[in-house]
Amino acid sequence: MDRYLIPANSKRSMLILSLFAPIDLVIAGVGGFITVILLMIINIETTTDILIVLTPVLISSAMVIPVPNHRNVWQLTANVLYYFTNQRKYRWRGWCMLRGKEGEE
């Protein structure tokens, strides 16, 4: 019997620190970089200023935080973004269209 047993953590071994895909680190890095730039540009005097400066790093960290099924959440987000940014007229040609256009006989 040549059966191979795949370990339960085999997919995690492909991730960085067993938690993050390379795109996760890019997103976190971009959020941190934008936050550092905002720290240099904006003079922080109020709580609102602090929230404005920290918004990029908070959003990017919320996007990459390792929660259960977060890849599914990424796919849902991508699907919603694709739906809102692409063509809404769906072209369909199913089994009931025998010739040319719909309505022709």
Side-chain angles (χ1 to χ4, degrees):
M1 281 189 197
D2 291 332
R3 294 187 190 190
Y4 296 100
L5 182 64
I6 299 173
N9 62 353
S10 64
K11 275 205 163 191
R12 293 189 82 185
S13 67
M14 296 168 45
L15 301 174
I16 299 168
L17 299 177
S18 296
L19 295 173
F20 303 106
I23 189 69
D24 294 339
L25 297 180
V26 169
I27 291 170
V30 168
F33 180 73
I34 292 172
T35 300
V36 169
I37 296 297
L38 288 175
L39 279 171
M40 289 187 235
I41 294 173
I42 296 177
N43 187 13
I44 299 175
E45 296 177 356
T46 64
T47 306
T48 306
D49 295 338
I50 293 171
L51 289 176
I52 290 171
V53 168
L54 292 180
T55 298
V57 78
L58 292 175
I59 291 174
S60 64
S61 62
M63 290 173 71
V64 300
I65 191 167
V67 296
N69 301 321
H70 84 285
R71 298 284 171 223
N72 296 343
V73 174
W74 265 107
Q75 187 61 47
L76 174 66
T77 306
N79 290 344
V80 169
L81 181 63
Y82 180 80
Y83 174 77
F84 284 118
T85 59
N86 289 327
Q87 160 183 328
R88 297 275 176 91
K89 183 178 179 184
Y90 298 106
R91 297 185 177 105
W92 178 77
R93 184 178 173 132
W95 57 270
C96 62
M97 291 182 61
L98 300 177
R99 300 179 212 109
K101 296 181 182 175
E102 227 175 321
E104 289 182 2
E105 297 197 31

